[in-house]
Amino acid sequence: MPYAFPHFDAAAFLRDTWQRRPLLIRNPWGQWHNPLEPDELAGLGCEPGIESRLVVGSDSQWQVEHGPLPESRFADLEGSPWTLLVQAVDQIVPDVAALIAPFRFIPDWRIDDVMVSYASDGGGVGPHYDQYDVFLIQGLGRRRWRVGPKCDEATPLLPHHDLRLLADFHAEADYVLEPGDILYLPPGFAHDGVALGDDCMTYSIGFRAPSRADLVGDFADDLIEHMAEDDRYADPGLAQQANPGEITADALARLHAMVTEALADKQAFASWFGRHASQPKYPDNDWRPDAPVSADDVRAMLQDGQVLERNPASRLAFVRRQDGGATLFADGQDFVVPMALAESLCAQQHVGGEVGWLDDETALDVLVALFNQGSLVVEDDED
Ligand code: SIN
Ligand code: CO
């Protein structure tokens, strides 16, 4: 079922709220449908290769267990409140991936994943803050959210707790969310959500923001792979200096320029960042087809009316090239493609034969490569 916000003013949200302040958005969906059953979520928490946590307890007495959980675990949870949290459910359940669609007024590369939680009465993960923006959608049942002030690295945390809980939490706002309601939190705001009654499900659309340390470190790692051994410091015309112990301002300026000139290469940066931002979240998951397809196979699929869809676990993005084309990034790889193909794949997340790719050898080769690396898949036959 396609989700949309019929009356939500995305432009006003970006102007006044995004990254600035928390906001409670009462059911903007029109009709809300909870896309995943609690039992299905419990099943995912037991599967290997899926990142999940079980948090048991309340009031500063929390215990965290990491999945996969034994199925029998859910039978002995009587008594203490508990929460099961499963990461990146959008990569596995298309109806959960569909929840992202109305939030695509924010660029795709900023989106991290959809985490889904289920809590029993009184369950929660304790007061904390996250480094990222999040939309907390109430899926099923009710949850009381208390929201506090903005925190930072100096905010005291409880000692030795892998939930990074706040030592002092003072709520400034208090809301009860019903199914379909959304709480938006910018990075850093203290929050504490407690289930009111059983069957409380929350869908967290989480965003990401690279740290400067990661950007500098990872870009530099990429650059050095292409640097030649003989690209070295040189000082012809070296001026005699009074003290041989001094590293002179001239030498420092030349050395510093070697670093900054390399980092200032904007084309290299765009190419690296696109590949970096489109890296799969779980690179060990192999989505490739059983047998690679050829250009003739893809042509036949498209002629047959089949549609190639973005794998929900794949990350796609593009940047404009000066020649009017695009560099398309898909799961860490880059491809030079016609702009129309990049736009169609990234905006609509699918491509069919109708646009004329069948006659465009370059575009067809890219579709073949995307299919063979598992970024594109054939749409399920709905008949
Ligand atoms: C939850 O879904 O229970 C926790 C989400 C959060 O506080 O970030
Ligand atoms: Co949180």
Side-chain angles (χ1 to χ4, degrees):
M1 184 214 113
Y3 291 96
F5 298 148
H7 307 295
F8 180 73
D9 186 342
F13 177 85
L14 290 176
R15 189 186 61 226
D16 303 331
T17 307
W18 173 249
Q19 294 248 302
R20 298 188 203 283
R21 61 186 182 90
L23 181 71
L24 172 66
I25 308 165
R26 288 285 179 204
N27 189 350
W29 307 86
Q31 245 191 342
W32 168 251
H33 297 278
N34 180 46
L36 189 72
E37 292 304 316
D39 279 359
E40 295 174 290
L41 186 72
L44 295 177
C46 302
E47 271 187 44
I50 294 182
E51 194 183 335
S52 64
R53 282 169 299 157
L54 179 69
V55 180
V56 186
S58 61
D59 299 332
S60 71
Q61 295 286 319
W62 279 271
Q63 272 187 337
V64 187
E65 295 162 42
H66 292 272
L69 304 161
E71 273 173 49
S72 56
R73 186 68 187 94
F74 296 104
D76 12 280
L77 282 168
E78 297 300 316
S80 301
W82 57 274
T83 303
L84 169 70
L85 305 110
V86 182
Q87 224 53 62
V89 180
D90 52 306
Q91 299 199 0
I92 306 154
V93 183
D95 284 351
V96 172
L99 286 179
I100 295 172
F103 297 96
R104 290 184 75 211
F105 55 86
I106 297 154
D108 291 343
W109 74 263
R110 291 280 265 120
I111 296 172
D112 186 12
D113 70 346
V114 184
M115 178 183 80
V116 187
S117 71
Y118 173 93
S120 68
D121 188 19
V125 301
H128 66 280
Y129 71 95
D130 300 306
Q131 300 277 12
Y132 308 106
D133 303 85
V134 65
F135 290 97
L136 297 154
I137 306 167
Q138 190 61 26
L140 193 68
R142 298 160 75 223
R143 185 185 283 274
R144 177 183 183 198
W145 282 106
R146 290 184 306 143
V147 179
K150 193 163 168 139
C151 308
D152 58 30
E153 303 236 309
T155 307
L157 301 180
L158 290 179
H160 316 302
H161 207 293
D162 70 354
L163 286 170
R164 292 181 50 84
L165 297 180
L166 297 171
D168 307 298
F169 173 69
H170 302 285
E172 293 178 341
D174 196 329
Y175 311 107
V176 173
L177 269 69
E178 306 276 345
D181 292 344
I182 301 173
L183 177 62
Y184 164 70
L185 295 175
F189 279 84
H191 54 285
D192 186 23
V194 177
L196 298 178
D198 284 331
D199 282 347
C200 170
M201 286 183 82
T202 302
Y203 296 79
S204 307
I205 314 268
F207 291 79
R208 52 193 183 144
S211 69
R212 193 192 299 260
D214 284 347
L215 286 174
V216 174
D218 295 348
F219 179 38
D221 280 346
D222 189 68
L223 284 173
I224 60 178
E225 280 187 28
H226 313 287
M227 284 179 184
E229 263 297 289
D230 58 3
D231 178 8
R232 307 187 83 88
Y233 181 76
D235 48 7
L238 176 67
Q240 214 174 3
Q241 57 190 67
N243 187 323
E246 182 181 358
I247 305 169
T248 61
D250 272 358
L252 285 173
R254 263 181 265 178
L255 291 159
H256 189 236
M258 287 177 76
V259 175
T260 53
E261 279 163 15
L263 290 174
D265 183 339
K266 288 192 178 160
Q267 236 176 324
F269 183 78
S271 158
W272 164 75
F273 186 71
R275 286 179 280 119
H276 175 79
S278 67
Q279 288 289 348
K281 189 173 170 79
Y282 299 105
D284 290 345
N285 290 349
D286 185 355
W287 300 98
R288 287 174 300 175
D290 294 339
V293 297
S294 66
D296 285 343
D297 296 330
V298 169
R299 191 180 283 111
M301 285 184 219
L302 295 177
Q303 273 166 345
D304 210 32
Q306 282 184 307
V307 170
L308 302 180
E309 290 218 325
R310 189 193 76 137
N311 173 351
S314 283
R315 296 188 189 279
L316 297 185
F318 72 91
V319 297
R320 280 170 208 284
R321 299 171 61 83
Q322 282 180 345
D323 61 8
T327 304
L328 175 74
F329 302 99
D331 299 325
Q333 305 296 319
D334 54 346
F335 306 89
V336 175
V337 298
M339 180 56 81
L341 180 59
E343 287 180 335
S344 163
L345 276 173
C346 290
Q348 290 147 34
Q349 314 220 348
H350 63 251
V351 58
E354 72 285 354
V355 200
W357 307 122
L358 302 172
D359 309 321
D360 183 334
E361 289 295 327
T362 324
L364 202 63
D365 284 348
V366 172
L367 294 179
V368 171
L370 293 174
F371 193 90
N372 285 335
Q373 71 174 33
S375 306
L376 292 180
V377 293
V378 182
E379 194 180 42
D380 276 342
D381 203 347
E382 284 176 15
D383 301 335

